[in-house]
Amino acid sequence: MGRQLSGMANKAYRSASDIGRRLALAREPLPEDVRAPRPLLLLGELAWLIEPLRRSVRELDIAPSAKPQIVLMLPGFGAHPARLRYMARQIEKAGHKVKRWGQGFNMGATPDILDRIEERLLEIHERYGQKVMLVGWSLGGIYAREIAKRHPDKVTRVITMGTPFSGNPRSNNAWRAYQLVAGHRVDEPPIDCVLCEKPPVETVALWSPRDGVVNPRSACGRAGERDRAIALRCTHMGFVYSREAIETVLRELETI
């Protein structure tokens, strides 16, 4: 009984220590030379709460694709693949096949996250016998870029949506929450990667000046960090449901 109580006490201590460590990470100061989107823009992100109402009256004219593609969609930090379902359905209406990443909620980078996504990509590629388009929202775009570096021969193109791959990783309004949940500094991920390094496939960065989460410059990137950058007028949440974002992704699928 004494050993059991001692083990329980040690476990509780480790748990409390981990919580304290995570809280300390979330309280770290923002470097003076780093800028995140203005609070007013962050407030605008609340528009996603009424998205179900807008969706009920929104009509999208989806034309059949002349060359159907296989698409693997990767969710943003804290998001479940279900958050991508609406966009996925619109893409499928055009005749494309959209596949989930198969990892559930995206709770931040882990040492094996890229290996697991890599397995998913290889599985899809083998099943359909053709290259795969990677579409990543926010943090999901970071994964997409890194996976494309590993297997450029199996990826047609990478589309990132509001992905902070350029500049300081703290140039956003989500890094504190990320460090609290993931348990590591946003600029010290447990994976080997160079965020700004462009994959050896065509890479298109969708960004928006109305993004209230990620600094637009971080999502747009510089020349050499991506092939093309396309400016939209949606919020960060809107990348996965706005008419403009959906139509842009559909156009990109037709130009491969």
Side-chain angles (χ1 to χ4, degrees):
M1 178 64 72
R3 286 184 180 178
Q4 187 175 20
L5 291 175
S6 178
M8 292 174 62
N10 287 334
K11 184 176 181 179
Y13 174 77
R14 289 195 298 271
S15 178
S17 297
D18 185 55
I19 292 174
R21 182 181 62 82
R22 290 170 182 264
L23 288 173
L25 286 171
R27 292 170 181 158
E28 289 185 344
L30 180 68
E32 293 184 1
D33 60 339
V34 174
R35 295 290 179 270
R38 301 189 308 275
L40 187 60
L41 289 174
L42 183 59
L43 186 63
E45 296 292 339
L46 294 177
W48 75 272
L49 294 173
I50 61 173
E51 167 58 17
L53 297 177
R54 293 175 175 174
R55 194 174 296 175
S56 65
V57 297
R58 181 187 300 137
E59 294 185 10
L60 297 178
D61 185 16
I62 308 294
S65 173
K67 39 188 173 182
Q69 305 291 326
I70 307 298
V71 182
L72 174 59
M73 300 191 74
L74 309 175
F77 170 64
H80 188 272
R83 292 293 300 279
L84 300 170
R85 187 177 299 159
Y86 177 71
M87 174 178 273
R89 286 175 176 171
Q90 309 314 307
I91 294 174
E92 289 177 333
K93 285 180 182 179
H96 306 289
K97 290 186 181 296
V98 180
K99 313 305 293 185
R100 292 189 177 193
W101 77 324
Q103 307 298 324
F105 283 95
N106 182 355
M107 303 309 289
T110 58
D112 65 340
I113 186 66
L114 294 182
D115 293 336
R116 288 186 277 129
I117 300 174
E118 178 182 30
E119 289 178 4
R120 179 64 169 152
L121 171 65
L122 296 178
E123 172 195 342
I124 294 171
H125 182 268
E126 182 178 359
R127 182 190 309 173
Y128 295 99
Q130 67 183 80
K131 292 184 178 182
V132 180
M133 164 85 86
L134 301 182
V135 178
W137 176 35
S138 200
L139 177 59
I142 297 293
Y143 300 154
R145 287 169 60 95
E146 294 305 314
I147 291 299
K149 295 174 188 177
R150 292 188 178 191
H151 295 283
D153 59 319
K154 296 177 176 60
V155 175
T156 54
R157 181 179 296 168
V158 172
I159 297 179
T160 59
M161 304 187 297
T163 295
F165 63 86
S166 182
N168 194 301
R170 301 190 186 209
S171 296
N172 58 75
N173 285 315
W175 70 270
R176 294 183 190 279
Y178 179 90
Q179 294 192 172
L180 175 66
V181 174
H184 59 258
R185 291 185 174 87
V186 70
D187 45 7
E188 297 177 359
I191 56 178
D192 184 18
C193 65
V194 180
L195 299 185
C196 65
E197 180 182 77
K198 196 190 87 66
V201 300
E202 186 176 16
T203 305
V204 182
L206 307 188
W207 65 280
S208 172
R210 295 182 179 177
D211 194 322
V213 178
V214 172
N215 186 309
R217 292 186 178 181
S218 294
C220 175
R222 303 182 179 92
E225 296 176 343
R226 44 45 177 179
D227 291 293
R228 291 184 287 123
I230 301 176
L232 307 183
R233 302 293 294 179
C234 63
T235 62
H236 190 75
M237 298 298 183
F239 278 113
V240 296
Y241 63 71
S242 74
R243 176 191 298 271
E244 185 182 24
I246 292 170
E247 291 178 346
T248 299
V249 171
L250 285 172
R251 282 196 300 270
E252 289 298 317
L253 282 166
E254 291 303 307
T255 60
I256 294 176

